[in-house]
Amino acid sequence: MWRASVLTLFPEMFPGPLGVSLIGKALLEKKWSLDAHDIRAHGRGKHKSVDDTPAGGGAGMVMRADVAVAAIDAVRANDKAKRPLIYLSPKGAPLTQPRVRELVQGAGVILFCGRFEGLDERAIEARQMEEISVGDFVLAGGEIAAMALIEACVRLIPGVLGAEASKTEESFEEGLLEYPHYTRPQAFENLDIPAVLASGHHGEIERWRKAQAEMATRLKRPDLWALYEKRGRSAKTPAFQQTGASEGKKK
């Protein structure tokens, strides 16, 4: 069973969105498992302090290395599967669909959710944490990012979503954004479903969808388009690869 363990100051946030819809149904059916651990249980002193002022001065507070490592070690003590330890961080390598596929092929993940101004760098180095970012923006903590990573993985577990073939046509699977979708009614506010989709000509429909995916990628994500063109439009493997995702493992 694929297992996600989350280290957080707010374990009550879980399962949250992960407990509803098909992802939540799969959790109840034990197709995957989730356990949340309170970092504050390893805090220092009678007030269970988990943070302190930044060395060298500056605004905000920093999560302590000793507290973080104690929480990590407590989870790892019973982890025979040697799951990857991931710190959700805006300075991490971007999360990509290829990395998601790698993660779901393993036994699961251990996710560390930071708070405050960040985590003491020594904890990251001492436990060889892989840093992953879900986008070029800053959140109040890593919990929402952890949920996004977990959902991206769980939906690929066989039997969770069904329609396994459709997953190969989704955004990023061939290095392109997904083509547009339509359904009834045929006409909506003077906009019609493209005629080719009602033609019954599967070859024409496939070519139209490929052209639409290429156009959307070229206009909306020129960074992906450049990589896609570099590999060749006929490439059947992802047009971009995770960069730096394994740096933490090499330390």
Side-chain angles (χ1 to χ4, degrees), residues 65-119:
D66 52 353
V67 172
V69 165
I72 291 167
D73 289 350
V75 171
R76 275 185 159 177
N78 299 313
D79 185 40
K80 298 178 181 179
K82 305 295 183 184
R83 292 172 293 161
L85 171 62
I86 296 170
Y87 172 44
L88 286 309
S89 165
K91 62 187 179 71
L95 180 63
T96 64
Q97 197 65 16
R99 185 61 182 134
V100 168
R101 285 197 300 270
E102 291 174 358
L103 291 172
V104 82
Q105 288 169 6
V109 292
I110 300 174
L111 305 176
F112 191 96
C113 302
R115 281 274 162 175
F116 318 116
E117 292 300 312
L119 172 62

Side-chain angles (χ1 to χ4, degrees), residues 12 22 57 63 90 97 110 126 132 173-174 182 189 206 227:
E12 64 273 17
L22 294 177
M63 190 175 291
Q97 197 65 16
I110 300 174
I132 285 183
E173 286 297 340
E174 290 190 355
Y182 299 88
E189 295 188 357
E206 184 177 351
L227 291 172

